[in-house]
Amino acid sequence: MMMTDENLRLAEALLQACRERKLKLATAESCTGGLISATLTEIAGSSDVFERGFVTYSNEAKSASIGVPAEIVAGHGAVSEPVARAMAEGTLRRSLADIAIACTGVAGPGASGRKPAGRVHIAVARKGEETRHAQMDYGDIGRGKVRQATVRDALTMAMEVAAA
């Protein structure tokens, strides 16, 4: 999947904002499957800001890789605010980053009958600050468009956190 020009511009701006503030970034991605990380690393020189990315597509990976408590997933479902927050906060604990971007959602037709296609939860955690969260309802616009919209909105939210 190709990155959009808009998302590449957002990634470049976020990397520059972090660079100026000496902040490191990490990601934890489910529904985007690494597309946020791929967009950030498409920018030359991103290695001085981008620390690591976790692709935690399965519930087991969320728990094993970034410490999301299994009971949170069981109690709220993987596509939920508590899981998105736990993903972002766990990524901060399991990385050297100052800011962690996390997303979990239903990109398109899938296993979740309870959550509508296009529902995505994005969370951005920064050391020493309250974790930010947004629920996005993109609708059933297709997997690729949901994933690109998630990248756009996650990078935008991270930019707000980095600039604060």
Side-chain angles (χ1 to χ4, degrees), residues 3 26-29 32-42 46 50 52-55 151 155:
M3 292 112 191
T27 60
E29 301 179 65
T32 50
L35 193 56
I36 297 169
S37 299
T39 303
L40 288 165
T41 59
E42 184 70 15
S46 60
F50 185 68
R52 73 183 75 190
F54 298 96
V55 177
V151 172
L155 292 173

Side-chain angles (χ1 to χ4, degrees), residues 83-107:
V83 169
R85 287 179 179 276
M87 288 172 68
E89 292 162 6
T91 298
L92 280 185
R93 287 192 300 275
R94 303 271 173 108
S95 71
L96 302 174
D98 304 291
I99 295 175
I101 304 167
C103 65
T104 181
V106 182

Side-chain angles (χ1 to χ4, degrees), residues 79-137:
V79 180
S80 65
E81 178 177 347
V83 169
R85 287 179 179 276
M87 288 172 68
E89 292 162 6
T91 298
L92 280 185
R93 287 192 300 275
R94 303 271 173 108
S95 71
L96 302 174
D98 304 291
I99 295 175
I101 304 167
C103 65
T104 181
V106 182
S112 179
R114 297 179 305 269
K115 308 282 169 85
R119 162 96 28 102
V120 177
H121 290 270
I122 301 169
V124 178
R126 183 171 175 174
K127 285 183 179 176
E129 294 186 12
E130 184 70 28
T131 300
R132 294 193 193 189
H133 165 266
Q135 176 181 307
M136 312 308 288
D137 286 296

